[in-house]
């Protein structure tokens, strides 16, 4: 674990020190060699994040364990978006492009891969339908407010100040209420479904999170700190990599939108690996806690933050999506509703989600 941490921070430090050399026009082979090295470091560090997240999840239980991983990644992503908006230049669509890419990756690629892997290995993958209904209810509202409403009631795809203020406040209240209920009275709605076998009784409920924290406080705090120290260089390297990735895609003639997709995939790599591994172990509810929980946090935190930055700095924050992307978002949400309303989820559901991700990829190159 220490090797992964040292590698991640050393790579980030090396990237900072080498900025004068990397600022010029690099030969194409050198450019892609640097990109490959950065991605390799990120993948190695992601393995450490996954390890700590799994230990925390099994120690704290759901939803608390998975919430640590989702919030750590999403909060850093929000900070990076904020840093870009507060930096030099105009970045009117940075929040829209980043969150759109994250939404499609989570709803189609991550969920699809997890259900395909889990469905091929297990015949009885069941989720807590009350919990998944809560996630999807919030996602329907948040995605509509983030991407569809600005096109209808906004001006040139952006909320006016008079619209942004109530939207900002309502989003914070909704997300805060969600966290309050998820970690409080409704925490059992986000736990694995257990089906006692014949002749046996259901297992005794695990101790509450307060008991676990009291008995294992030092371990939990240490693992949270290690997770954060490991995940920060992943996101920082992904952010710095954007410049090289854009340059490489330009040289290849690839769509610029592909850059946002690849960066979002790398930023959410630890979460994606953990989600697929949870499906492999047959933990269907943990799959949705990781994937849908991360997405609710991503939209629920990013939207008010970027609106607040826009209000305080006078920047225009364009959120409205294109008709094609709105259609893809609608199909993805509808597919999620039909998938997780079933008594059990299967590999066929996963294949359908992956198919939509391919359609999303085609739309980027269209």
């Amino acid at each position: 674990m220490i090797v992964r941490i040292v590698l991640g921070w050393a790579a980030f430090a090396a990237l900072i020190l080498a900025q004068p050399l990397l600022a010029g026009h690099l030969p194409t082979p050198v450019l892609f060699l640097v990109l490959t090295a950065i991605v390799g470091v990120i993948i190695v560090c992601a393995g450490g994040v996954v390890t700590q997240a799994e230990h925390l999840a099994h120690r704290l239980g759901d939803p608390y364990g998975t919430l640590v991983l989702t919030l750590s990644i999403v909060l850093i992503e929000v900070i990076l978006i904020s840093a870009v908006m507060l930096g030099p230049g105009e970045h009117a669509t940075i929040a829209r492009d980043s969150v759109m890419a994250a939404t499609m990756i989570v709803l189609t690629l991550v969920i699809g891969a997890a259900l395909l892997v889990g469905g091929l290995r297990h015949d009885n993958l069941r989720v807590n339908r009350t919990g998944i209904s809560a996630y999807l209810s919030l996602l329907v509202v948040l995605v509509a407010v983030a991407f569809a409403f600005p096109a209808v009631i906004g001006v040139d795809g952006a909320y006016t100040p008079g619209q942004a203020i109530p939207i900002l406040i309502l989003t914070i209240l909704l997300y805060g209420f969600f966290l309050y209920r998820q970690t409080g009275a409704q925490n059992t709605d986000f736990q694995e479904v257990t089906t006692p076998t014949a002749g046996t009784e259901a297992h005794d409920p695990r101790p509450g999170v307060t008991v676990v924290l009291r008995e294992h406080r030092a371990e939990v705090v240490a693992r949270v700190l290690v997770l954060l120290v490991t995940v920060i260089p992943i996101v920082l390297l992904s952010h710095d990599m954007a410049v090289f990735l854009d340059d490489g895609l330009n040289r290849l003639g690839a769509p610029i939108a592909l850059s946002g997709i690849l960066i979002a995939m790398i930023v959410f790599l630890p979460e994606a690996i953990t989600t697929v591994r949870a499906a492999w172990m047959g933990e269907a509810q943990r799959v949705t806690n990781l994937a849908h929980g991360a997405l609710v946090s991503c939209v629920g935190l990013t939207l008010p933050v970027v609106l607040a930055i826009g209000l305080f700095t006078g920047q225009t924050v364009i959120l409205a999506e294109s008709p094609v992307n709105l259609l893809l978002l609608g199909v993805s949400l509808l597919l999620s509703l039909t998938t997780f309303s079933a008594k059990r989820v299967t590999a066929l559901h996963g294949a359908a989600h992956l198919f939509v991700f391919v359609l999303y990829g085609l739309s980027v190159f269209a």
Side-chain angles (χ1 to χ4, degrees), residues 243-332:
V243 176
F244 303 110
L245 188 58
D246 285 341
D247 190 6
L249 292 176
N250 281 332
R251 298 186 191 188
L252 295 175
I256 295 299
L258 186 60
S259 173
I261 297 172
L262 294 175
I263 292 172
M265 290 175 69
I266 292 173
V267 169
F268 281 90
L269 180 62
E271 191 121 24
I273 296 174
T274 310
T275 303
V276 174
R277 289 182 65 170
W280 177 258
M281 298 299 295
E283 299 172 333
Q285 183 60 38
R286 190 158 176 247
V287 168
T288 186
N289 285 345
L290 285 162
H292 297 111
L295 196 51
V296 168
S297 297
C298 181
V299 185
L301 288 173
T302 303
L303 181 60
V305 168
V306 299
L307 288 178
I309 291 175
L311 289 171
F312 283 113
T313 63
Q315 294 185 54
T316 299
V317 180
I318 298 175
L319 294 170
E321 267 294 356
S322 65
V324 172
N325 281 343
L326 288 176
L327 174 62
L328 286 166
L329 286 168
V331 170
S332 300

Side-chain angles (χ1 to χ4, degrees), residues 1 5 9 45 48-57 65-73 76 220-234 270 274:
M1 194 65 216
I5 295 174
W9 285 103
C45 292
V49 174
V50 169
T51 300
Q52 297 305 315
E54 289 181 340
H55 283 301
L56 283 169
T66 54
L67 192 60
V68 174
L69 176 61
T70 59
L71 284 181
S72 62
I73 292 177
I76 295 171
V220 171
V221 171
R223 291 195 183 280
V224 169
L225 291 176
V226 170
L227 187 150
L228 290 174
V229 170
T230 310
V231 81
I232 289 173
I234 291 177
T274 310

Side-chain angles (χ1 to χ4, degrees), residues 202-219:
H203 65 275
D204 294 331
R206 60 179 295 130
V209 68
T210 54
V211 176
V212 174
L213 288 175
R214 186 167 57 249
E215 296 179 353
H216 304 279
R217 179 177 302 173
E219 177 193 349

Side-chain angles (χ1 to χ4, degrees), residues 74-151:
V74 170
L75 282 172
I76 295 171
E77 177 71 3
V78 171
I79 291 171
L80 287 177
I81 293 174
S82 303
V84 173
M85 291 185 65
L86 292 171
E90 287 291 330
H91 304 280
T93 64
I94 179 66
R96 181 195 69 187
D97 296 342
S98 299
V99 176
M100 174 65 194
T103 301
M104 291 303 301
I105 287 168
V106 171
L107 287 181
T108 58
L109 178 61
V110 176
I111 289 289
L115 295 186
L116 184 62
V117 168
L120 289 174
R121 191 164 190 253
H122 302 277
D123 295 327
N124 195 32
L125 286 178
R126 298 176 184 272
V127 296
N128 193 321
R129 284 194 265 180
T130 303
I132 186 61
S133 175
Y135 281 133
L136 294 178
S137 295
L138 263 71
L139 284 176
V140 168
V141 174
L142 292 173
V143 168
V145 169
F147 299 123
F149 269 52

